[in-house]
Amino acid sequence: MKYKDALFHYIETTTGYGIQEKELTMSLPLYIQAGYDLWSCSVSGFGVVFAHVKDTTTDMRIHYNAVRKIEEKCPCYVVLVFDSLGSRNINRLIEKRQSFVIIDKYVYMPFALMQMKSEKLLPISRKNFQSLTPDADMILIGYLNKNIQSGFMISQIASMINRDIRATSAALSILESFEYVRIEKEGRSKRIVFNSPEDVYDRLKEEGISPIKYVFYSDSPMLDHPIMNSGYSALSVFSTLMDERIPTRAMSSKIRMRHFSELNECEKENAQFRIEVWDRDPSIFAVDDNVNPLYVLRTLRKENDERTQYALELLEQEIMKKFEGN
């Protein structure tokens, strides 16, 4: 208890982020329970599980596997907590963008855009990001969908992606570092100038991140919440492709966490639905009850089926028509 209090105090005083502890309800393998002290929390609105490493001599690969296992069980960010760590392992964790904390020495939580060492704020440079963050990626989706316009103020973009000003500003700073946008000051305000839609679209095809955290099958009825058609279910709406597969639905990880016990997981052959759990709200920039077509292109692009590829080509042509005249 004393260690946990010290950890939370260190993070709150050095980052300014508030921490609210939550009950840890997931069932985990015994080796994880034995190797880590686990604390479930909300850190400035992010769902987080802190995993305090009991034996620092354990191979780092064991910790990476434990993180993946916890994330499979719970839609959250896992932050490893070490009593001490050498610079070589610190650099490896940063290269892998694995969140970690060393009390009184280091806080690295890229999901919250936080990297601090010895009480000195360090900017997270582009080289430490292997990809765009969900918020940054979502802003570009909104721009290509014409919900967000070049010249918008930060507050306008924040309202479009349903995020606060701070989170939106951080995402835009990342987009500026990746040279997708310019941030121009106008008095006390900041105006965002985007690259051309064609340039953004071409780059985003390569650099865009998948919104899907994980997939499971369920035999439970769908909830009365923002749950969108996704995958082939959405493609069949946007094209003439006939879909006879299990219906695919997308939900945010927050919805999944809130209704964890209400959605039973089952084997594929017994399922009523295939459910994608996203790192963002799939209803933002949705088209009626379907995820945005840009996400459909992204998540199905690697499918080998010829009919699927033909449907995706037609869908992409329709999307490209929006860019004409820009």
Side-chain angles (χ1 to χ4, degrees):
M1 181 65 71
K2 187 177 293 186
Y3 189 98
K4 179 183 67 175
D5 292 341
L7 171 68
F8 290 178
H9 177 73
Y10 170 61
I11 294 173
E12 288 178 328
T13 54
T14 54
T15 69
Y17 285 4
I19 298 178
Q20 293 181 326
E21 190 171 2
K22 299 186 296 185
E23 183 180 359
L24 187 65
T25 57
M26 59 183 157
S27 176
L28 292 168
L30 289 176
Y31 79 89
I32 293 181
Q33 297 180 44
Y36 305 87
D37 295 315
L38 301 171
W39 303 301
S40 178
C41 308
S42 173
V43 180
S44 191
F46 296 97
V48 173
V49 169
F50 289 102
H52 174 222
V53 177
K54 295 181 180 180
D55 183 1
T56 55
T57 64
T58 304
D59 191 297
M60 275 293 175
R61 289 172 292 184
I62 300 296
H63 300 320
Y64 299 147
N65 289 333
V67 168
R68 285 197 294 270
K69 195 67 176 179
I70 296 171
E71 289 178 340
E72 287 175 3
K73 295 285 186 178
C74 176
C76 63
Y77 296 98
V78 178
V79 179
L80 293 171
V81 181
F82 297 91
D83 295 333
S84 62
L85 203 62
S87 58
R88 184 177 181 183
N89 281 327
I90 288 175
N91 291 333
R92 284 181 176 176
L93 288 166
I94 293 174
E95 286 175 3
K96 289 181 174 290
R97 295 190 67 230
Q98 171 57 54
S99 302
F100 70 94
V101 174
I102 308 170
I103 289 186
D104 295 330
K105 292 184 179 180
Y106 219 119
V107 177
Y108 178 68
M109 295 190 295
F111 62 87
L113 302 179
M114 185 58 63
Q115 179 176 347
M116 304 184 77
K117 180 179 180 181
S118 302
E119 300 183 358
K120 180 180 179 182
L121 182 65
L122 302 175
I124 298 181
S125 63
R126 178 177 178 177
K127 67 180 181 181
N128 284 336
F129 281 91
Q130 301 303 314
S131 63
L132 299 170
T133 61
D135 285 347
D137 183 76
M138 188 161 53
I139 289 171
L140 296 180
I141 293 289
Y143 171 62
L144 294 177
N145 203 54
K146 292 196 170 182
N147 299 93
I148 296 172
Q149 301 291 326
S150 187
F152 268 20
M153 299 294 187
I154 293 178
S155 60
Q156 293 174 288
I157 296 175
S159 66
M160 286 291 175
I161 65 172
N162 196 26
R163 297 285 282 159
D164 60 31
I165 295 293
R166 186 164 83 170
T168 305
S169 297
L172 289 167
S173 295
I174 292 172
L175 291 179
E176 185 177 44
S177 74
F178 276 78
E179 299 181 352
Y180 278 102
V181 305
R182 298 193 317 276
I183 301 177
E184 299 181 349
K185 289 187 176 180
E186 192 172 287
R188 294 185 177 182
S189 302
K190 292 181 180 179
R191 191 176 296 277
I192 311 304
V193 179
F194 288 81
N195 294 353
S196 70
E198 293 86 353
D199 176 70
V200 171
Y201 182 76
D202 286 342
R203 288 187 56 193
L204 201 58
K205 284 168 63 174
E206 300 298 326
E207 298 176 359
I209 59 176
S210 172
I212 302 173
K213 295 185 71 171
Y214 60 92
V215 173
F216 69 95
Y217 292 90
S218 176
D219 56 5
S220 304
M222 283 294 94
L223 301 167
D224 185 21
H225 287 280
I227 298 175
M228 305 286 108
N229 295 321
S230 187
Y232 280 100
S233 297
L235 182 59
S236 65
V237 174
F238 296 134
S239 71
T240 58
L241 183 71
M242 298 296 293
D243 178 40
E244 298 179 353
R245 297 170 177 80
I246 298 172
T248 298
R249 303 289 187 264
M251 66 170 63
S252 70
S253 57
K254 289 183 179 179
I255 293 293
R256 172 57 171 155
M257 186 180 299
R258 194 178 307 149
H259 300 279
F260 194 89
S261 62
E262 297 178 34
L263 285 170
N264 297 323
E265 296 188 25
C266 68
E267 298 298 325
K268 181 178 179 180
E269 55 267 23
N270 299 321
Q272 293 189 47
F273 297 98
R274 176 183 182 271
I275 301 178
E276 299 172 350
V277 179
W278 283 24
D279 61 9
R280 64 198 73 180
D281 183 351
S283 68
I284 296 177
F285 308 130
V287 179
D288 297 324
D289 293 325
N290 308 286
V291 301
N292 191 279
L294 289 160
Y295 289 131
V296 177
L297 285 177
R298 186 181 299 179
T299 56
L300 294 180
R301 190 176 296 278
K302 293 183 179 180
E303 295 293 323
N304 294 323
D305 180 68
E306 290 185 6
R307 295 185 308 138
T308 299
Q309 289 301 319
Y310 178 71
L312 292 174
E313 288 176 8
L314 295 180
L315 178 58
E316 186 171 34
Q317 291 174 14
E318 291 299 314
I319 290 172
M320 294 295 289
K321 288 179 182 178
K322 292 185 177 182
F323 308 154
E324 295 177 0
N326 285 284

